[in-house]
Amino acid sequence: MNPQFAAALDLLPGYLAWHVLLSASALALGLAISLPLAIAAARRPRLRWPLLALASLIQTIPGLALLALFYPLLLAVSAVAEAATGRGFSALGFLPSLLALTLYAVLPILRNGVAGLAGVDPAIAEAADGVGMTPRQKLLQVELPLAAPVIMAGVRTAAVWTIGAATLATPVGQTSLGNYIFAGLQTENWVFVLFGCAASAVLAMAADQLLGLAERGVRTRRRGLIIAGVAGLIVGAGLAMAPLAGSGAPTAYVVGAKNFSEQYILAELMAGELERTGARVTRKENLGSNVAYRALAAGEIDVYVDYSGTLWTNVLGRTDNPGRAAMVDQLSAELRRRDGVVVLGSLGFENAYAFAMRQDRARALGVASLVDLAKVAPQLTLGTDVEFLSRPEWKAVDAAYGLSFRATRSFQPTFMYRALGGGEADVISAFSSDGRIAADRLTVLSDPRGAIPPYDAVILVSPRRAADKRFLDALRPLVGAIGVEAMRAANYSVDRDADKRTPAEAARWLRAQSAPES
Amino acid sequence: MIELADVTHRYGAQVALDGVGLTVRSGEFVALVGGSGSGKTTLLKTINGLVRPDDGRIAVDGEDVAAVAPHLLRRRIGYVFQEVGLFPHLTVAENIGVTPKLLGWGPPRIAARVRTLLDLVALPGDVADRPPSALSGGQRQRVGVARALAAEPGVMLMDEPFGALDPLTRDQLGADYLALHRQLGLTTVMVTHDIAEAVLLADRLVVMRQGRILADGPPADLLAAASDPAVRALLEAPRRQADRLRERLGG
Ligand SMILES: Nc1ncnc2c1ncn2[C@@H]1O[C@H](COP(=O)(O)OP(=O)(O)OP(=O)(O)O)[C@@H](O)[C@H]1O
Ligand SMILES: [Mg+2]
């Protein structure tokens, strides 16, 4: 068996269990919300339009954005709850995913519910009154049964949407089948991407078929079919979620990672160190850049690696550049004072923004530094990752060199490097520890005016682990142990097309490089 | 006893009932006749509260209809809809048993009642488990009558109950119903377009036009005393028809 496929299969029980739990909960909650709303809207036509318009509006928000919006919202609610009751809750992971997916499930059920109920023949509804039913009896015994086939069709649509959209829960820290897709996209592991897509499609189709069976039962009033469909759903969901029952024990440590290869490898590296002490470790990967720090400060993850320049600008809001060592020192003091976050130390390498060009292109244009680049920029296209152009680093570079490009395009990091090769971009905002710089023999432009801040990789520890000696001792050996060459090689081993390593394998390799004695 | 006093109802600008006063004594059989759109259905629906009139008072057995819980009132009044209105998701037996079930009758009593009523409306027992969609129009109408009778109501309101039946069945069912009406001492108000049927079954004829009662009395009295030419024409229609029939068939 293909080793990537085997690795994917290995991860399936956990991913599938969470995916099913998440989508089933969202669907159930969506049903619980939209059915009463549909009944209210069917009774009062004046409610109908605003309700349906609102639900349609929510549907037009891209899934990823909806999920992302819930995180800060819940964070604020959690802060209020903590102030009021002394207990907050996790704004990351299951809750925001559940709420966003629930909103997604509402529209199809609401729309079909309203249509189904409003479509009941008025003569039949009047007959229900005429034989002496109360409004409630009329609803339960006549209107809902008659609208049931249409409502069930809405539930089917909602189920398929929810299962598909649940893959987007990964970036807010909720494990799902999306983990395959997001991780695969970052590490160019197409087996993973396909596996994730296929698994979620199969799941959606299975749910759709079983609901279809129940729908047919409702429509033809064959109780056997309804029972078969519903029982199939319950048994299937139960089996899929079984792996979660065992993991109910409190997880000891949570290691976080942002959404690129280096972060996956470092998360595995730290998780490995912690597991070596006998601790249980879970991973929350694919966190958005800003989400990760807030999650750490809130104690939702215990440790992750961030970069000094990122923290400097994004967290402290500073735009000056005191130099590498001073920046780490000041960060240590400031983050502890502000949020109780501990900077355990630098890993030993930098992952700075670096403007890179193809060697031949740079030579032909005579570009070696950002000063040279500014002269030819109007003829060039800049390729960046999705956030670079909105980051202060870009503003600093732009202010220092006055770069105005012919065009700018943003890519997932993986595709950004591809774009350079394919000519869709002439210059990219690369990362200095990226293995592809060496592998693709890219020219990194120098920064003579020192506009790009330093980006030392530092281990950040959450306030709730600040005094956990076992935890800190396990991670401390990593400080200063990783050189940029080793990190580049590890990154490349995950990103390359052939003979790929998984992040966990790369982490083991990296550990062997940095600590050959153990 | 059913009493309507000064009942007025409008649908938007359309006046459906215009100051109607009517008293139906217990045990009486009243036939409501009149042209299409004259307000017959609306009048019938005000009696069991399906239509709340804009003005006027209605009492059933001395109780103000506006003051009692409508579902309790309706369980005591059998209603046969003009559109029949059988529940498509229930079997014939379940349709007939619906009001008894709401009243909390036990299943054996309901089953026995369903058999009796199917017999009464001359339907074979094997239709009991069919959905209404598997019946003919006339059969459906008979199930509608059976459903209205199921909970042993004292008052029956019937809106063209036999309209879709062939003449023979119609005759037979009318006669059977009349026997039941007498035997159980029912109070019946029946809308019909068939004057002959009205004359044959009812103690009293109420003629409506444009939301008003044009004439009210026993058929013979009306024929003798009706001043309105329209009422006379209406009442003489069956006799004229009978005469013509005799001529053509050479009786
Ligand atoms: N729900 C309604 N909305 C608006 N107008 C209505 C409604 N129901 C009845 N009407 C109008 O009220 C008037 C009386 O209607 P009603 O149904 O009582 O007549 P009817 O005597 O039963 O007629 P038919 O013999 O055709 O059944 C008619 O003009 C009709 O168009
Ligand atoms: Mg009518």
Side-chain angles (χ1 to χ4, degrees):
Chain A
M1 197 170 15
N2 175 319
Q4 304 291 349
F5 185 77
L9 211 54
D10 239 22
L11 293 166
L12 186 62
Y15 288 3
L16 182 67
W18 278 113
H19 200 95
V20 168
L21 179 64
L22 182 61
S23 10
S25 313
L27 196 61
L29 199 59
L31 200 62
I33 291 172
S34 47
L35 215 49
L37 284 181
I39 291 167
R43 291 260 179 284
R44 280 174 286 272
R46 232 175 302 156
L47 262 181
R48 205 173 298 170
W49 186 84
L51 266 180
L52 286 176
L54 183 67
S56 305
L57 189 74
I58 290 170
Q59 214 70 41
T60 61
I61 304 175
L64 202 54
L66 193 61
L67 278 147
L69 283 174
F70 265 100
Y71 177 68
L73 195 71
L74 283 173
L75 210 59
V77 174
S78 172
V80 170
E82 188 151 18
T85 67
R87 269 184 57 81
F89 53 85
S90 172
L92 204 61
F94 195 75
L95 203 55
S97 315
L98 176 66
L99 293 179
L101 291 176
T102 298
L103 283 185
Y104 254 40
V106 162
L107 176 69
I109 305 177
L110 181 63
R111 196 159 50 194
N112 281 40
V114 169
L117 287 169
V120 172
D121 181 354
I124 305 290
E126 191 179 42
D129 290 327
V131 300
M133 290 187 186
T134 61
R136 190 187 162 78
Q137 287 167 333
K138 171 174 156 183
L139 179 69
L140 294 178
Q141 296 180 25
V142 176
E143 289 169 314
L144 280 178
L146 289 178
V150 183
I151 296 176
M152 278 300 292
V155 173
R156 275 175 84 173
T157 309
V160 171
W161 284 7
T162 307
I163 290 171
T167 54
L168 301 175
T170 296
V172 289
Q174 172 55 53
T175 303
S176 73
L177 292 172
N179 282 35
Y180 289 121
I181 299 170
F182 282 91
L185 204 56
Q186 289 310 319
T187 61
E188 298 196 43
N189 184 340
W190 308 123
V191 174
F192 262 46
V193 174
L194 282 175
F195 193 95
C197 293
S200 114
V202 167
L203 183 63
M205 277 187 318
D208 185 51
Q209 286 305 309
L210 287 168
L211 284 167
L213 203 63
E215 182 193 335
R216 197 136 36 88
V218 166
R219 207 178 42 236
T220 58
R221 302 181 220 299
R222 301 227 305 270
R223 198 157 289 169
L225 284 183
I226 303 178
I227 291 171
V230 171
L233 282 174
I234 291 173
V235 169
L239 284 178
M241 289 188 287
L244 295 181
S247 67
T251 56
Y253 297 130
V254 185
V255 175
K258 300 199 218 178
N259 55 352
F260 48 95
S261 307
E262 180 172 294
Q263 285 277 318
Y264 305 148
I265 298 169
L266 292 173
E268 288 295 342
L269 184 65
M270 294 189 293
E273 296 304 318
L274 291 168
E275 277 162 349
R276 220 161 271 122
T277 71
R280 268 183 53 76
V281 179
T282 57
R283 293 139 175 88
K284 270 201 199 306
E285 291 172 346
N286 293 305
L287 301 172
S289 191
N290 292 340
V291 169
Y293 181 80
R294 274 187 278 172
L296 183 89
E300 289 158 15
I301 58 177
D302 293 318
V303 63
Y304 83 105
V305 170
D306 212 329
Y307 305 93
S308 57
T310 309
L311 296 164
W312 189 253
T313 48
N314 285 9
V315 179
L316 300 185
R318 302 269 293 258
T319 51
D320 56 328
N321 185 349
R324 270 180 84 166
M327 186 178 281
V328 173
D329 287 346
Q330 289 187 37
L331 271 173
S332 302
E334 273 298 294
L335 296 185
R336 175 167 282 253
R337 191 185 59 74
R338 273 175 43 122
D339 301 316
V341 166
V342 176
V343 178
L344 194 63
S346 301
L347 285 168
F349 71 92
E350 254 196 289
N351 183 359
Y353 279 105
F355 285 80
M357 298 178 72
R358 270 165 53 182
Q359 212 169 38
D360 53 342
R361 196 94 170 98
R363 205 167 289 152
L365 290 167
V367 175
S369 72
L370 290 173
V371 179
D372 304 333
L373 180 65
K375 293 185 202 129
V376 291
Q379 310 152 38
L380 304 180
T381 297
L382 173 68
T384 69
D385 62 52
V386 286
E387 59 178 53
F388 181 68
L389 292 177
S390 57
R391 291 181 64 99
E393 291 89 338
W394 162 244
K395 297 193 180 76
V397 170
D398 193 22
Y401 297 99
L403 295 169
S404 74
F405 288 94
R406 183 164 52 103
T408 58
R409 300 179 65 173
S410 52
F411 301 91
Q412 285 277 331
T414 295
F415 297 115
M416 183 171 76
Y417 288 92
R418 293 278 159 99
L420 207 50
E424 287 95 349
D426 305 297
V427 192
I428 58 168
S429 62
F431 305 101
S432 60
S433 62
D434 199 302
R436 286 169 287 208
I437 289 181
D440 296 351
R441 280 192 283 282
L442 302 182
T443 299
V444 174
L445 307 185
S446 65
D447 172 23
R449 292 177 192 156
I452 303 175
Y455 283 86
D456 275 292
V458 292
I459 299 179
L460 297 187
V461 174
S462 78
R464 66 175 188 160
R465 301 295 175 206
D468 185 334
K469 191 165 148 35
R470 177 170 81 153
F471 185 85
L472 298 176
D473 284 351
L475 295 175
R476 205 165 273 127
L478 296 177
V479 172
I482 316 259
V484 72
E485 295 302 332
M487 194 68 236
R488 269 186 198 160
N491 285 340
Y492 187 64
S493 74
V494 168
D495 290 337
R496 67 190 167 203
D497 288 333
D499 190 25
K500 293 166 91 67
R501 290 197 184 116
T502 64
E505 287 166 353
R508 280 194 290 278
W509 178 86
L510 197 56
R511 182 168 197 272
Q513 297 299 302
S514 61
E517 75 280 3
S518 64
Chain B
M1 185 146 92
I2 302 166
E3 294 160 286
L4 285 85
D6 228 3
V7 174
T8 297
H9 189 69
R10 284 177 207 84
Y11 295 105
Q14 171 74 42
V15 179
L17 293 178
D18 189 1
V20 169
L22 177 70
T23 302
V24 182
R25 286 185 307 279
S26 283
E28 211 173 8
F29 195 137
V30 170
L32 211 50
V33 299
S36 188
S38 57
K40 304 181 295 294
T41 298
T42 308
L43 174 61
L44 215 56
K45 284 180 180 171
T46 59
I47 297 173
N48 78 342
L50 285 176
V51 167
R52 296 282 171 195
D54 298 334
D55 215 345
R57 284 174 319 285
I58 299 141
V60 174
D61 294 332
E63 247 182 326
D64 187 349
V65 164
V68 290
H71 63 280
L72 296 179
L73 176 77
R74 291 171 194 150
R75 289 174 194 177
R76 289 189 271 120
I77 300 178
Y79 194 103
V80 180
F81 287 90
Q82 190 170 3
E83 311 87 347
V84 189
L86 297 184
F87 302 118
H89 60 302
L90 303 180
T91 63
V92 165
E94 287 168 332
N95 264 285
I96 294 174
V98 69
T99 307
K101 197 169 164 200
L102 293 173
L103 288 167
W105 293 18
R109 186 174 169 203
I110 296 178
R113 183 72 182 150
V114 168
R115 272 195 303 277
T116 309
L117 286 166
L118 282 178
D119 213 34
L120 181 84
V121 298
L123 284 174
D126 71 329
V127 302
D129 294 323
R130 290 196 216 158
S133 57
L135 299 184
S136 74
Q139 288 173 326
R140 277 202 285 271
Q141 213 166 35
R142 282 181 270 169
V143 173
V145 174
R147 180 175 70 179
L149 284 167
E152 300 173 349
V155 174
M156 282 288 284
L157 307 174
M158 307 207 283
D159 201 345
E160 297 187 41
F162 308 129
L165 298 180
D166 66 276
L168 277 184
T169 315
R170 183 173 187 145
D171 242 20
Q172 185 58 49
L173 217 53
D176 287 350
Y177 179 77
L178 183 59
L180 195 76
H181 164 89
R182 290 200 177 127
Q183 183 195 331
L184 300 178
L186 301 177
T187 306
T188 300
V189 182
M190 180 174 87
V191 174
T192 179
H193 280 293
D194 183 338
I195 303 300
E197 183 177 69
V199 171
L200 287 173
L201 297 179
D203 307 316
R204 233 171 98 195
L205 241 58
V206 172
V207 184
M208 292 190 68
R209 193 168 66 193
Q210 290 175 358
R212 292 170 184 270
I213 292 183
L214 212 56
D216 178 356
D221 295 5
L222 284 190
L223 194 55
S227 51
D228 190 307
V231 176
R232 286 195 75 84
L234 197 68
L235 289 167
E236 282 170 350
R239 182 180 291 167
R240 277 200 312 276
Q241 212 171 20
D243 291 345
R244 286 212 310 279
L245 280 172
R246 211 173 297 120
E247 271 167 39
R248 292 197 69 145
L249 298 173

